Amino acid sequence: MRTLETANISGFVSEFILLGFPYCRETQILLFVVFSLIYLLTLVGNTSIICAVWSSWKLHKPMYILLANFSFLEICYVNSDVPKLLANLISRAKSISYAGCLLQFYFFFSMCAAEGLFLSVMSFDRFLAICRPLHYSTIMTHHLCVRLVIFCWAGGFLWLLTPLTLISQVPFCGPNTIDHFLCDLAPLLALSCAPVSGITLTCGIISSLIIFLTFLYILGTYFCILSTVLQVPLGPGRHKAFSTCASHLAVVSLFYGSVMVMYVSPGTGKFHGMQKLVTLFYALATPFFNPLIYNFRNKDMKEALKKLLYVLLWKISKRSKSQCIISIMHNSHLGK
């Protein structure tokens, strides 16, 4: 494994080594198979949500439009780091270029910030639907929904521009081995050959702000939702309200639980094994569970997926029959 223990001629590291999971070869192959399966299922699950929303007019509502964008975000999220993780598990050379490392950091954490914004907007949508049901259609219009989607995407990418700019000014002279499977902030800045306490503090504040602001907003909206729901008499109305919010709360718990354990819990960064495990959870496991949570708990989504699956099977069956008929006609023509 290549490591630059001293500064090179130009005094600049041109690539980094992602140490990843330094187990024996057999264990790495097993991890490759498991992670590949989760990765493929994540892509299929989130793509199925997007296709279901796109194909069903019944789901052309702000709630499901936000969900479809959230699923597309999850696809981009896993594609920002998992392909490189899989490649490094089966490759002897576990290097990533300097520019590639900065881009991976920017895209991965921009998606992470955008996910927090999307979860906040989705909680706002649930707040309007439950606490302001008579005004929902006039407030949450398609025009506002589009603007909120743009805000989430743009906000996530703009929020990380400052950390990216600061990190790009940090000198890296060697060594160049990152004890992680992606270019995370702390392991990356630990390789700097100059003091970076100010940059570390600034990046930490920016990261913490997006985490806490969105999390506190979600807590506030669900406090209002809970207060409203508890005033509803026991019956189908209260059950439907709780059911509507349960899926979103489960996703919020998965995402913020793992992120806060990683970046807020004191001392977590000292244990590299735990750091990798928690990062792996919110980088791979959370996007995998999200479509399962939404698909199994939402009646409209399950119906749309069943119709979509039926249409796909019907088209495949029709195509197979057509090919069979063509083959029979071709064989009969040859017989003549």
Side-chain angles (χ1 to χ4, degrees):
M1 186 176 293
R2 297 168 294 171
T3 305
L4 301 176
E5 296 295 345
T6 57
N8 56 20
I9 298 175
S10 63
F12 178 74
V13 168
S14 60
E15 65 178 22
F16 294 99
I17 307 298
L18 292 173
L19 196 58
F21 300 94
Y23 304 123
C24 64
R25 190 65 180 167
E26 291 75 14
T27 304
Q28 288 187 334
I29 293 174
L30 177 62
L31 289 176
F32 174 81
V33 173
V34 174
F35 293 164
S36 296
L37 183 60
I38 296 174
Y39 174 62
L40 291 174
L41 290 175
T42 301
L43 295 180
V44 171
N46 284 286
T47 303
S48 68
I49 290 180
I50 297 171
C51 294
V53 174
W54 177 79
S55 62
S56 175
W57 286 101
K58 190 178 181 180
L59 301 184
H60 288 189
K61 301 175 183 178
M63 173 184 173
Y64 296 105
I65 292 172
L66 292 172
L67 179 56
N69 276 272
F70 186 75
S71 295
F72 181 67
L73 172 68
E74 297 288 54
I75 292 174
C76 298
Y77 191 38
V78 295
N79 279 317
S80 65
D81 66 302
V82 176
K84 187 64 179 177
L85 166 63
L86 295 177
N88 286 345
L89 281 172
I90 58 173
S91 173
R92 297 291 183 184
K94 304 179 185 298
S95 63
I96 182 171
S97 67
Y98 172 81
C101 188
L102 291 188
L103 285 174
Q104 186 188 62
F105 164 82
Y106 177 64
F107 280 104
F108 179 80
F109 288 101
S110 293
M111 300 294 175
C112 189
E115 183 159 350
L117 293 174
F118 264 110
L119 290 173
S120 300
V121 169
M122 292 165 78
S123 69
F124 171 68
D125 176 74
R126 292 301 84 208
F127 166 78
L128 289 178
I130 294 173
C131 301
R132 302 288 188 272
L134 299 178
H135 302 92
Y136 179 82
S137 58
T138 56
I139 298 175
M140 185 56 77
T141 60
H142 282 278
H143 181 64
L144 177 60
C145 183
V146 170
R147 286 194 294 175
L148 289 174
V149 167
I150 294 173
F151 164 74
C152 292
W153 282 105
F157 281 93
L158 291 176
W159 195 270
L160 268 294
L161 277 179
T162 300
L164 177 68
T165 304
L166 292 174
I167 294 173
S168 66
Q169 298 172 0
V170 174
F172 297 99
C173 311
N176 68 336
T177 300
I178 299 176
D179 189 12
H180 214 311
F181 63 86
L182 57 80
C183 293
D184 202 352
L185 179 64
L188 185 60
L189 292 180
L191 300 180
S192 170
C193 51
V196 289
S197 56
I199 293 177
T200 303
L201 178 62
T202 302
C203 293
I205 291 173
I206 293 174
S207 301
S208 299
L209 273 176
I210 191 69
I211 293 171
F212 280 109
L213 288 177
T214 54
F215 183 65
L216 290 175
Y217 178 80
I218 292 170
L219 284 182
T221 54
Y222 272 97
F223 176 79
C224 296
I225 290 172
L226 184 62
S227 300
T228 302
V229 171
L230 291 177
Q231 296 174 10
V232 177
L234 287 172
R238 179 183 287 193
H239 176 75
K240 183 178 180 181
F242 275 121
S243 179
T244 302
C245 300
S247 300
H248 185 250
L249 277 175
V251 173
V252 168
S253 302
L254 280 173
F255 177 72
Y256 283 100
S258 56
V259 168
M260 287 188 175
V261 166
M262 182 65 224
Y263 294 104
V264 180
S265 179
T268 305
K270 297 178 182 179
F271 304 98
H272 297 296
M274 179 62 69
Q275 187 181 42
K276 292 179 189 178
L277 183 63
V278 177
T279 306
L280 184 67
F281 183 82
Y282 73 78
L284 186 60
T286 302
F288 168 72
F289 286 119
N290 288 349
L292 297 178
I293 293 170
Y294 281 116
N295 287 345
F296 284 118
R297 294 194 62 87
N298 191 292
K299 181 181 177 182
D300 293 335
M301 184 61 66
K302 285 192 287 187
E303 290 178 357
L305 286 171
K306 287 179 182 178
K307 290 180 181 178
L308 181 64
L309 182 60
Y310 174 79
V311 171
L312 289 175
L313 291 175
W314 181 79
K315 287 185 177 180
I316 292 172
S317 175
K318 186 178 179 181
R319 185 176 179 182
S320 299
K321 288 180 180 179
S322 299
Q323 290 179 344
C324 183
I325 293 172
I326 292 172
S327 177
I328 292 172
M329 291 179 64
H330 180 68
N331 290 335
S332 63
H333 178 72
L334 290 177
K336 291 178 180 181

